[in-house]
Amino acid sequence: MTCYFVTGGSGFIGRRVVERLLARDDSARVLVLVRPGTLPRFDTAMEKITGGDRVITVVGDVTQDGLGLRGDDLGPIDHVIHLAALHDVTGDEKQQHEVNVNGTRRVAEFAVSRGAMLHHVSSLAVAGNHDGDFTENDFDLGQGFPTGCHRSKFDGERVVRETPGLSWRVYRPAAVVGDSVTGETPKADGPYYFFSHLTQLRQLPSFLPVPMPDFGRINLVPVDFAADALVALVESQPGRSSLVFHLADPQAWTSTDLFNAISPAFDGPRGFTAVPSSVLRPALVLSGRGPFRSGRDLVAEQAGIPPAALDAAAVPVVVRSEYTIATLDALGIRLPNLVDYAPRLWRYWFDHLDPARHRRDDPRGPLVGKNILITGASAGIGRATARMCVRRGANVFLVARDADRLVGTAAELDAEVPKPGLPLGRAYAYPADISDEAAVQTLVKSVLCEHDHVDVLINNAGRSIRRATANAIDRSHDYHRTMAVNYFGAVYLTLALLPHMTERQSGHIVNVSSIEVQSRAPRFGAYAASKAALEAFSDATSAETLSDHVTFSNVRIPLTRTRMIVPTNAYDAVRGIWSVDKAANRVLRAMIDRPKRVNTLIGDLIDFGHHAAPRLTNRLLHQDFLMHEESDAALGRVG
């Protein structure tokens, strides 16, 4: 009975290696070292594979002395397959060294103590920036290393080679990408960083040749090939030590070749190399040094490409893997052709990993399937906006303090008739007081837990006070209460949802503001200040979140006939007050078009007056103040 001890068995390659070990030998014992925090994920993964119930889980960690084992009797072990590693070129160098170097040392010592053959999964990163051919027989050629990840891979392999009494084999995969059949991959790094930019070219006519830069040779292997090759080589040539295998594509592909391989997946054009690697590579190297680096890194980060990925791309190494490919061919393992599987990589990435996938609109309408959280949703503008969203296929999360009214609104919206050709969205009631920060945190956690995400937040809930400042000198609570809802409530919700939206690289926040931000009319000092504060907060935040694709709109609504204005008898005879539907249409436009601001002509004219003729405008506003009396509510004559 053969016994395998596997580290990193819960990882991208490791899970497939474990599956293949189980499939090849029904009598094999497969022990997998699993960190305590990874146990649930690993158990779930094993439930999905045939024979997963035969896996023996060993709790431990390569970063702990003795692998963190607690004296368990593991029995005889024939092979130690070491897959646990960090592969992120953008990762912390200290952590990379601890796992990839010190962790490998501990695994090597464990293999020696068990008399087992160590199969160390290294990386072609050990070649560093070597200029020229790099074969299975090469190791230390005096090469440099563009990133800490490259260096840690080299040092980890050196540990294996220099451990006394160790029988070993080394496997150096190229950049491992998704499954060649399904395209499945857990994360989009390496060559995937460039997929977004390549995909943008699909908008060009397919017959139009596209000039492209050549970043140099790209070496990719699909994960299923890497796992198949590793398991086959582990079992081949029993007893032979000090063998090195390159799990790499012997064909030299360029970045242009990669684009031409994936472009059929989206009916894109074909590219041709306009800037050869002999020109581009020195430019990348130069731009990554000295005073040029900060500028290059800023441009790269704004394009969604980690600067370290450019450093890794600018290496001139030529990987040779003919010996390994010939060995695998004799074992019946063949590398799929990039042209055949590249479209599958792109399709999986586009559906599951594209950072822009959450920003795509449904072909049936821009709100179909969107999740929209609306505050102040039990009446007025909030209720009318929610109705328009539901009719257009959006799911709305209604937030207000009055639970009974909110539940009734949700039931009413669920009975709506959808617009022709559009599905009907759903309405969900979430009673909450948004001026209570703890309540907001609970609200957001509940919504995300039950519905996964929020696409749009509409800060509509508001409190309006129309009272002259001279009549509020002993009513500072007016200002506190107004700010509590209009400003702090909206800020609490924005802060609670911002990390979620940033992580999804998608989100829009609509503030139902007021024309008073522009007019600063008399008797609205408390109200206008609260709305202006919210707009200032949103403008500053939007400048920070632009690259994260979280945007803000401020909708400056004029006087609208809602419950909010009922106590002010001065409005009873005023003509031209907006209806809630007219105001809601402006909010709807902000959701769909995402403008910075939605203004009215009268608001813009008054705002212009404040800048062009401030004294005249102030005098006119003063006349308005004198012409209209304080309301009974403002004077305390009504409850």
Side-chain angles (χ1 to χ4, degrees):
M1 177 189 298
T2 305
C3 180
Y4 303 91
F5 183 91
V6 183
T7 71
S10 61
F12 182 36
I13 304 175
R15 180 167 57 85
R16 290 167 172 80
V17 167
V18 170
E19 181 178 13
R20 284 156 175 76
L21 290 173
L22 294 168
R24 289 176 74 97
D25 185 354
D26 291 340
S27 64
R29 293 178 66 240
V30 180
L31 290 75
V32 181
L33 185 73
V34 182
R35 290 177 294 138
T38 313
L39 272 172
R41 185 181 71 181
F42 180 73
D43 290 341
T44 300
M46 290 302 100
E47 291 174 358
K48 298 177 182 178
I49 67 174
T50 302
D53 56 331
R54 291 166 32 217
V55 171
I56 302 171
T57 302
V58 180
V59 178
D61 194 327
V62 298
T63 64
Q64 297 180 9
D65 291 340
L67 302 183
L69 302 179
R70 300 291 182 263
D72 296 341
D73 183 13
L74 304 179
I77 296 174
D78 302 292
H79 301 278
V80 174
I81 302 176
H82 180 38
L83 285 148
L86 296 178
H87 304 282
D88 187 359
V89 295
T90 67
D92 178 73
E93 291 190 19
K94 184 177 180 180
Q95 188 178 17
Q96 301 257 10
H97 184 84
E98 178 59 29
V99 175
N100 296 346
V101 183
N102 294 337
T104 297
R105 180 178 290 107
R106 296 182 183 100
V107 173
E109 292 169 351
F110 173 82
V112 171
S113 70
R114 297 286 174 164
M117 171 80 74
L118 173 63
H119 301 269
H120 174 60
V121 181
S122 180
S123 167
L124 281 171
V126 301
N129 62 4
H130 174 68
D131 191 353
D133 290 355
F134 195 84
T135 71
E136 291 96 338
N137 295 323
D138 294 322
F139 178 56
D140 190 350
L141 302 179
Q143 65 269 37
F145 303 97
T147 71
C149 180
H150 286 71
R151 179 82 219 188
S152 69
K153 293 296 186 181
F154 178 87
D155 289 343
E157 187 172 323
R158 184 190 293 280
V159 165
V160 171
R161 292 169 175 270
E162 296 180 353
T163 299
L166 178 66
S167 298
W168 58 267
R169 295 183 183 180
V170 166
Y171 308 82
R172 298 172 181 162
V176 179
V177 293
D179 191 282
S180 66
V181 177
T182 66
E184 179 187 358
T185 182
K187 61 179 182 177
D189 56 8
Y192 291 96
Y193 287 132
F194 301 91
F195 273 28
S196 293
H197 306 283
L198 294 177
T199 303
Q200 289 176 9
L201 299 176
R202 65 180 176 160
Q203 302 189 24
L204 297 175
S206 59
F207 62 82
L208 183 67
V210 178
M212 304 191 69
D214 177 14
F215 286 93
R217 297 173 181 85
I218 294 177
N219 208 301
L220 311 176
V221 291
V223 64
D224 48 319
F225 166 78
D228 287 337
L230 179 58
V231 171
L233 292 170
V234 162
E235 297 180 347
S236 69
Q237 306 175 62
R240 288 194 62 187
S241 178
S242 305
L243 300 179
V244 179
F245 301 98
H246 280 179
L247 308 184
D249 194 327
Q251 183 168 342
W253 301 94
T254 67
S255 52
T256 304
D257 293 329
L258 176 61
F259 172 72
N260 288 335
I262 68 172
S263 63
F266 51 82
D267 296 324
R270 290 189 63 81
F272 67 92
T273 299
V275 182
S277 59
S278 59
V279 173
L280 184 61
R281 186 182 297 118
L284 285 175
V285 172
L286 178 63
S287 66
R289 293 176 179 169
F292 303 103
R293 186 172 186 91
S294 59
R296 185 207 70 167
D297 291 357
L298 178 61
V299 172
E301 288 171 357
Q302 289 182 336
I305 301 173
L310 296 181
D311 295 330
V315 294
V317 64
V318 179
V319 175
R320 295 298 182 191
S321 56
E322 287 82 358
Y323 165 73
T324 303
I325 293 298
T327 303
L328 289 172
D329 189 64
L331 295 171
I333 306 297
R334 292 173 177 79
L335 175 68
N337 191 299
L338 177 66
V339 173
D340 295 330
Y341 70 80
R344 300 177 194 128
L345 300 182
W346 182 86
R347 290 190 190 101
Y348 187 90
W349 168 85
F350 184 79
D351 290 338
H352 302 280
L353 299 172
D354 179 9
R357 67 190 183 280
H358 300 305
R359 302 193 296 273
R360 299 183 202 135
D361 289 336
D362 190 290
R364 294 170 294 178
L367 296 185
V368 173
K370 299 295 185 184
N371 287 350
I372 301 171
L373 192 153
I374 307 175
T375 65
S378 62
I381 297 172
R383 185 173 187 162
T385 301
R387 179 180 292 107
M388 293 178 180
C389 291
V390 166
R391 287 177 176 177
R392 288 162 175 78
N395 302 309
V396 294
F397 311 133
L398 311 174
V399 179
R401 288 181 299 175
D402 190 329
D404 292 338
R405 183 186 293 271
L406 202 62
V407 171
T409 299
E412 177 186 321
L413 294 180
D414 280 339
E416 280 286 328
V417 177
K419 295 177 74 69
L422 293 177
L424 186 69
R426 292 291 310 278
Y428 303 88
Y430 286 91
D433 179 0
I434 65 168
S435 65
D436 181 344
E437 185 175 9
V440 169
Q441 294 287 345
T442 301
L443 162 68
V444 170
K445 289 179 182 177
S446 298
V447 169
L448 295 182
C449 179
E450 295 168 14
H451 303 282
D452 181 68
H453 67 277
V454 172
D455 295 293
V456 180
L457 165 64
I458 301 178
N459 287 315
N460 168 72
R463 177 189 290 273
S464 176
I465 294 179
R466 181 183 180 273
R467 179 178 286 116
T469 304
N471 291 325
I473 55 176
D474 58 349
R475 297 179 61 90
S476 63
H477 59 274
D478 282 354
Y479 299 88
H480 289 287
R481 289 192 301 174
T482 305
M483 291 293 286
V485 177
N486 297 0
Y487 177 70
F488 285 109
V491 169
Y492 294 154
L493 276 160
T494 301
L495 294 178
L497 283 169
L498 196 59
H500 163 72
M501 290 181 170
T502 298
E503 182 181 1
R504 296 182 81 241
Q505 290 286 283
S506 175
H508 189 55
I509 297 170
V510 178
N511 298 317
V512 179
S513 187
S514 170
I515 194 175
E516 297 299 337
V517 174
Q518 295 172 288
S519 68
R520 280 95 77 188
R523 295 189 173 89
F524 285 100
Y527 181 68
S530 66
K531 292 297 187 180
L534 179 58
E535 288 199 21
F537 164 78
S538 299
D539 286 349
T541 305
S542 69
E544 301 166 3
T545 60
L546 187 63
S547 294
D548 296 316
H549 302 281
V550 179
T551 52
F552 291 75
S553 292
N554 295 314
V555 186
R556 293 165 170 171
I557 302 291
L559 187 61
T560 304
R561 198 167 294 284
T562 65
R563 288 190 304 159
M564 189 182 296
I565 71 169
V566 170
T568 306
N569 50 292
Y571 294 144
D572 292 345
V574 175
R575 301 180 61 184
I577 298 179
W578 277 25
S579 69
V580 292
D581 285 341
K582 187 173 183 179
N585 270 308
R586 294 300 180 99
V587 178
L588 193 68
R589 177 194 158 195
M591 278 189 284
I592 296 173
D593 297 337
R594 302 193 173 194
K596 185 76 174 177
R597 294 179 180 85
V598 178
N599 292 342
T600 58
L601 177 59
I602 184 64
D604 286 338
L605 288 174
I606 299 174
D607 190 41
F608 177 75
H610 278 300
H611 291 85
R615 291 187 178 183
L616 175 61
T617 302
N618 191 56
R619 184 171 293 277
L620 292 173
L621 291 172
H622 180 63
Q623 293 304 311
D624 177 73
F625 172 70
L626 296 176
M627 289 171 59
H628 296 91
E629 297 180 352
E630 200 80 289
S631 67
D632 290 338
L635 295 173
R637 295 172 183 163
V638 294

